[in-house]
Amino acid sequence: MKNNELITQDELQEERLFNSSLGRRSFLQFAGASAAGIALMAAGCKKDRNYGDVSMGATLDFKDDFGVLNYAYALEQLEAAFYVKVASAPPSSFTTAQKAYFQDIQFHEVAHREFFKNALGTAAIGSLEVDFSSIDFTNATSVLGAAMAFEDLGVAAYNGAGVRIKSTDYLVLAGKIVSVEARHAAYIRDIISNGTFADLASLAPLGAVNANGLDGALTPDKVLAIAGKYVKTKINVINL
């Protein structure tokens, strides 16, 4: 880090956790060799792409799989930023177990984010600026409500994006991640109200079909419209 570079307390906390042995271990166990393989594919096929500068906003180009991967990367940035903030200073009413679980979820989301960032290489969009002003991080109800919203939306986003993925390797990857997001969603829902983890009827607005036991699925435009409340960076969508 450059001496004249200004970073926030949340970024300092994230740097510490990611440099810790647990942070590194969590990422390496999740990513493994597959991340390197996807990164090589991205570098070999898309050397002309460089979306790192988001000063004019971030562009998600859905003409190919890289647009879908960047879409997932954007959502994982949002989730990781949220959980890093919660884990660094959880609400005082959180139990010891809840604090531990939110730490674990934090590592999962940071691992997801870093996986996409490294896999996409120069094809990755830059870091998004988030806006959590509507969340009271000192209040457990506010934090849990936001966590449920993020997790439920994340599951619907991956489910809705699956049809756009052409590569079977990427599709398998998305399936592995969405299953983890669903575990998070189930846990958060049970903290809020025990036994509601399987309440698909309440997820009808996200596309769930309770009668068929199907979880939600939303198209990227609908997901981004909902997530936009928490993102300051303008996200441009083309070829959707």
Side-chain angles (χ1 to χ4, degrees), residues 55-134:
S55 59
M56 299 300 290
T59 298
L60 302 178
D61 186 351
F62 284 91
K63 70 178 182 180
D64 55 28
D65 284 351
F66 290 93
V68 183
L69 295 181
N70 262 316
Y71 167 58
Y73 176 42
L75 296 175
E76 296 298 350
Q77 285 191 51
L78 180 62
E79 287 191 301
F82 169 75
Y83 282 106
V84 165
K85 193 169 182 65
V86 175
S88 65
S92 58
S93 61
F94 264 25
T95 66
T96 299
Q98 288 172 348
K99 291 177 183 178
Y101 283 129
F102 266 75
Q103 287 278 354
D104 286 344
I105 296 175
Q106 168 194 225
F107 289 127
H108 292 168
E109 301 299 0
V110 170
H112 292 171
R113 184 200 65 197
E114 293 302 301
F115 179 90
F116 284 113
K117 180 179 180 180
N118 285 279
L120 283 162
T122 59
I125 59 172
S127 298
L128 303 180
E129 185 178 2
V130 298
D131 178 5
F132 295 140
S133 58
S134 62

Side-chain angles (χ1 to χ4, degrees), residues 9 28 33 39 69 109 135 156 163 194 222:
Q9 289 299 313
L28 292 173
L69 295 181
E109 301 299 0
I135 304 171
V163 69
N194 187 46
K222 293 181 180 178

Side-chain angles (χ1 to χ4, degrees), residues 168-187:
T168 55
D169 289 337
Y170 296 164
L171 190 59
V172 169
L173 168 65
K176 289 182 177 181
I177 294 179
V178 72
S179 61
V180 174
E181 300 292 353
R183 290 171 188 260
H184 296 168
Y187 170 69

